[in-house]
Amino acid sequence: MDYLKETLPADLFDPVTLWSLASTVAILGVAYGASLLVLDSTISKARRFLFIWHAFDALIHFCLEGSFLYHSFFSWIPLSSVSNPHALAPTAYNFLGHTDRAYGPQAGGDAPMAQLWMIYAKADRRWGGADLAVISLELLTVFIVGPLAAYVSYGIAKKKESVNVLMVVIATMELYGGWITFCPEWLVMNYNLDLTNFMYKWVYLIFFNVLWVFIPLYACYVAVTDMNDAYAVRAKVNAAKKSK
């Protein structure tokens, strides 16, 4: 316990941190509630889980990561108003054609979602500013992966087997996105990451991001298994036709 007290951040139990963690739990609750409302009671546990996951995934992308993009493009402060610009999270040079501004959640003031992202930025500094790699990935995530994940949930509810293909596509994009997010940091010895703090390292960086590794892999497994079964049935049907 003494070790945890020493390593947990002093602001762990402040309102913003608690609200940021509670928002994630609330989104999961909405996804689970939706599963109770729209899914047939006979649906398999795997399909129910994947419905909840993709609904949760879509809501995270729309609500949380969408707010990050908003602040990345529309929240800014003039560098001249900051006494020590080097203390800010980095904004890419000439971002949106400006060299005298700092963009991102760090410029969002008291806006609730900006404060939420500034909590995460304590673990990964890039999320406080306007990092080109992060923003480029989030544009794909919010505007492509989010709608696809929502459609997969809809397809599962309607028992559309075609969503198996989309689950593989989404999982591939999530895994690739995770790699592109963290590989640059590994190459610079985790320059922007805080790995010295238990909460930041194991909860924000590892736990939350590992979810988007193992669950997409599981989605691939379920989808590919279903597709292989379909191919096997088709092969049997074709073989029966040829034997007539």
Side-chain angles (χ1 to χ4, degrees), residues 38-212:
V38 304
L39 293 184
D40 192 297
S41 60
T42 60
I43 197 167
S44 70
K45 291 181 180 179
R47 289 282 165 174
R48 180 175 295 276
F49 173 79
L50 290 173
F51 173 94
I52 295 170
W53 166 252
H54 285 94
F56 172 76
D57 191 36
L59 290 170
I60 287 289
H61 294 331
F62 292 145
C63 301
L64 299 189
E65 290 164 292
S67 71
F68 170 79
L69 283 181
Y70 173 84
H71 287 293
S72 294
F73 285 101
F74 300 110
S75 294
W76 60 273
I77 53 174
L79 290 175
S80 59
S81 68
V82 182
S83 59
N84 181 18
H86 295 291
L88 295 171
T91 294
Y93 180 76
N94 206 41
F95 182 65
L96 301 182
H98 298 281
T99 59
D100 58 348
R101 297 177 178 182
Y103 281 86
Q106 64 191 351
D110 295 330
M113 300 307 289
Q115 292 188 29
L116 180 151
W117 281 110
M118 288 308 296
I119 290 293
Y120 187 79
K122 293 180 180 180
D124 187 339
R125 188 164 173 258
R126 295 172 297 171
W127 295 86
D131 181 272
L132 293 183
V134 170
I135 291 173
S136 298
L137 282 170
E138 289 298 359
L139 285 169
L140 290 173
T141 299
V142 172
F143 293 107
I144 296 181
V145 178
L148 287 179
Y151 180 78
V152 166
S153 290
Y154 168 81
I156 291 175
K158 295 297 183 179
K159 299 182 179 179
K160 294 178 178 289
E161 296 300 327
S162 59
V163 297
N164 284 317
V165 176
L166 289 180
M167 283 197 286
V168 173
V169 171
I170 292 171
T172 303
M173 294 181 73
E174 302 278 19
L175 293 169
Y176 183 81
W179 175 262
I180 295 301
T181 298
F182 287 103
C183 184
E185 281 303 298
W186 300 333
L187 296 176
V188 294
M189 303 296 104
N190 300 318
Y191 178 77
N192 289 298
L193 307 183
D194 184 349
L195 302 179
T196 65
N197 183 287
F198 176 88
M199 184 73 175
Y200 299 156
K201 177 181 179 180
W202 292 103
V203 177
Y204 291 148
L205 293 176
I206 294 180
F207 174 73
F208 281 123
N209 287 287
V210 162
L211 287 178
W212 271 266

